[in-house]
Amino acid sequence: MKIIAPSVLTADLWNMSSQIEAFEKGGCSWLHLDIMDGHFVPNISFGPMLLRSLRPMTEMCFDAHLMIENPEDYVDAFAAAGADMITVHAEACVHLHRTLQIIKKSGKKCGVALNPSTPLAAVEEILPVCDMILIMSVNPGFGGQSFIDLAEDKIKRLRKMIDDRGLHTLIEVDGGINFDNVQRVAACGADILVSGNALFSAHDLTSAFKDMTKLANQEV
Ligand code: DX5
Ligand code: ZN
């Protein structure tokens, strides 16, 4: 079953809890939380405090996407705030393997994100210790950007790399996913599809979530 993970970056801050409830009503089980520091990416979003305040609301998997420098310094704060999956960028970690060990030690699942220009080779050696690889299909920093088509072949090659090795690493795709491309991107081999703008701009969030989930799980 392919999972749709709404990205709260596009949420309406005043109505965030009712928007999350609307997705949950549609069967949503993952919530994507985009953390931006104004250094690794040219935008600032929110920190662990938001996760902490949302945590009592829901049992959904909190999928924290850290677009920050020195992410190893913040792993414990996000773990304590209620993140379930902590994803760091390969480009932000000199000692990526060590950072993943720090995440595992915190008791959380670990993911590695790759920018559109970063080759899969950046994670090839450490694939067996990754719970998830996040393929960025936009340059990180902002919601509402257009999907970069080059990502499709990268997802297919990663799917093959994981399957050939008999691993269970999840593939997440993030950026520019909408109702027109979700089925195609899912068919490339993605397990989790993040969507911000397309979902949050819908009139009825519950049915939008259900529709997108249905599309992602339909044969092409
Ligand atoms: C981009 C973020 C994405 C983004 C997704 O830096 O990591 O999660 O908010 O939003 P859309 O679907 O609007 O591209
Ligand atoms: Zn993200």
Side-chain angles (χ1 to χ4, degrees), residues 93-200:
C93 300
V94 178
H95 304 290
L96 180 57
H97 181 266
R98 179 181 290 152
T99 305
L100 298 181
Q101 298 309 313
I102 294 170
I103 299 173
K104 282 181 185 278
K105 218 169 138 201
S106 77
K108 306 300 176 182
K109 300 236 182 271
C110 64
V112 177
L114 299 177
N115 282 339
S117 62
T118 304
L120 291 176
V123 288
E124 197 170 0
E125 307 302 327
I126 50 152
L127 213 44
V129 297
C130 298
D131 294 303
M132 187 172 86
I133 302 295
L134 193 177
I135 300 291
M136 289 303 305
S137 41
V138 296
N139 289 295
F142 302 94
Q145 302 182 78
S146 300
F147 185 88
I148 297 172
D149 291 330
L150 289 169
E152 287 187 40
D153 186 57
K154 196 173 182 182
I155 301 162
K156 288 181 191 162
R157 283 182 284 118
L158 177 60
R159 177 80 275 155
K160 187 170 179 332
M161 201 188 265
I162 290 169
D163 292 348
D164 285 352
R165 288 163 172 75
L167 297 170
H168 299 287
T169 319
L170 294 169
I171 300 178
E172 183 172 61
V173 182
D174 183 10
I177 305 235
N178 56 40
F179 292 92
D180 294 329
N181 61 22
V182 68
Q183 193 178 1
R184 205 174 68 233
V185 180
C188 292
D191 301 296
I192 299 128
L193 301 115
V194 176
S195 181
N197 205 46
L199 275 183
F200 279 90

Side-chain angles (χ1 to χ4, degrees), residues 196-216:
N197 205 46
L199 275 183
F200 279 90
S201 61
H203 179 63
D204 178 338
L205 300 191
T206 303
S207 45
F209 180 85
K210 285 186 186 166
D211 290 349
M212 198 179 270
T213 302
K214 205 167 153 193
L215 281 169

